[in-house]
Amino acid sequence: MDHHESKGEPVIFNVFRKSAGGERVLTSEQLAAALRSGSASSTGVYVTPESAARFGAVFACVRVRAESVGQLPLHFYEQRGRTKEKAIDHPLYSLLHDAPNEATTAQEFWEWVSASLDLRGNAYIFINRAGSEIFELLPLDARWVAPKRDLKRDIIYEVRIPPNGQAVVYTQENILHVKLMSLDCGLTGASVVEQARETIGVGIALEQHGAKFFKNGAAPGGVLETDQVLEDDTYDALVASWEESHGGLDNAHRTAILEAGLSWKAVGIPLKD
């Protein structure tokens, strides 16, 4: 547990900083969101929807699916006897086909639904009503929403919208919940990112390993050894000089000249192994 403080408040479980998108966890609500958003893989890499989306292979898949879904027109039909016709005069037609709200086109909206499903397993949409009339559909970040069952076993949705995070409870009349296959009796959809955490974690770890390998000069890590005792200023100057001369791709495989009895000793497993 991290006992440091930020603005007078204790930081709860420093281990969750990465899983909460790099933000400090200061409240029980933020801790609950961190627990829902992701967890560490066996590689030690925290896999969250955000970190998974920054991994090229995952982003490419999510993007292709989202853009393909967004390009498809969504028509609203009315059954008339044995036939069906587009109900272009129905109030919901323009919301589903043209624009669900003033800030979002239909393509953008359905791209978001697809991406939210792929990364979080759930897409929550607030149904904004004026009386009995639905006049807009608003996307809700899945991290803000916690589906629950009330005493009657009906599904309700507890919504906490930043920055104040005040909880508001809505019924299914106000929340359209689109979800993937469920593993908890239909309450929420299973997150693909969470289920494939280990696979994605390995991919991210390999990507980070390669990036650090090239950053450090495409050479195995090691230590400079000397029998002499180095003063702080000498030590700092030596580190700065070594990193400047041998760090990064541009300096890869340069010849090192060691002075004052220094010797290089490689440590760790060579990349070729």
Side-chain angles (χ1 to χ4, degrees), residues 16-197:
F16 289 112
R17 283 188 190 175
K18 292 182 180 179
S19 64
E23 299 177 358
R24 286 175 174 262
V25 178
L26 300 173
T27 67
S28 58
E29 291 78 13
Q30 290 175 331
L31 177 59
L35 289 170
R36 291 197 301 267
S37 65
S39 54
S41 65
S42 297
T43 62
V45 174
Y46 274 87
V47 179
T48 68
E50 290 77 20
S51 65
R54 289 191 293 271
F55 181 47
V58 173
F59 180 78
C61 294
V62 173
R63 179 190 172 197
V64 167
R65 282 170 52 87
E67 292 182 349
S68 297
V69 170
Q71 292 173 14
L72 299 174
L74 179 59
H75 296 293
F76 192 76
Y77 288 89
E78 181 180 7
Q79 189 74 36
R80 294 184 179 179
R82 295 185 177 181
T83 63
K84 60 180 180 181
E85 298 180 4
K86 293 179 183 178
I88 57 177
D89 295 327
H90 195 283
L92 289 179
Y93 188 91
S94 61
L95 289 179
L96 298 174
H97 183 267
D98 301 326
N101 56 69
E102 292 183 352
T104 312
T105 66
Q107 178 170 347
E108 294 169 339
F109 184 80
W110 297 115
E111 284 178 352
W112 168 82
V113 170
S114 177
S116 185
L117 287 174
D118 284 343
L119 294 173
R120 303 184 183 279
N122 300 273
Y124 299 98
I125 302 165
F126 180 71
I127 305 172
N128 207 358
R129 300 174 183 269
S132 60
E133 180 183 352
I134 300 174
F135 67 92
E136 65 177 352
L137 303 173
L138 300 172
L140 293 174
D141 192 315
R143 293 171 294 183
W144 303 345
V145 186
K148 300 179 179 180
R149 293 189 185 274
D150 61 15
L151 296 177
K152 297 180 180 179
R153 303 297 297 167
D154 293 329
I155 297 178
I156 57 175
Y157 298 91
E158 185 178 275
V159 180
R160 295 179 181 271
I161 300 179
N164 57 17
Q166 192 72 25
V168 181
V169 177
Y170 295 102
T171 65
Q172 291 177 289
E173 184 180 16
N174 294 104
I175 300 292
L176 174 60
H177 183 188
V178 184
K179 54 181 176 287
L180 295 183
M181 175 187 70
S182 178
L183 300 177
D184 59 1
C185 300
L187 192 60
T188 60
S191 167
V192 176
V193 169
E194 180 63 25
Q195 299 305 313
R197 179 180 69 247

Side-chain angles (χ1 to χ4, degrees), residues 43-45 55 200-222 248-249 267-273:
T43 62
V45 174
F55 181 47
I200 297 173
V202 168
I204 295 175
L206 287 172
E207 188 175 68
Q208 292 177 347
H209 173 74
K212 290 179 180 179
F213 173 75
F214 288 116
K215 177 183 178 181
N216 292 326
L249 281 177
V267 297
I269 302 175
L271 194 64
K272 63 185 178 63
D273 295 336

Side-chain angles (χ1 to χ4, degrees), residues 227-272:
D227 294 332
Q228 302 178 29
V229 178
L230 301 179
E231 299 293 336
D232 290 344
D233 292 344
T234 304
Y235 174 85
D236 294 338
L238 177 61
V239 171
S241 175
W242 183 267
E243 291 183 348
E244 180 181 357
S245 299
H246 303 285
L249 281 177
D250 292 339
N251 295 322
H253 308 299
R254 291 184 63 181
T255 301
I257 299 176
L258 303 179
E259 300 177 296
L262 289 172
S263 61
W264 169 262
K265 180 180 179 181
V267 297
I269 302 175
L271 194 64
K272 63 185 178 63

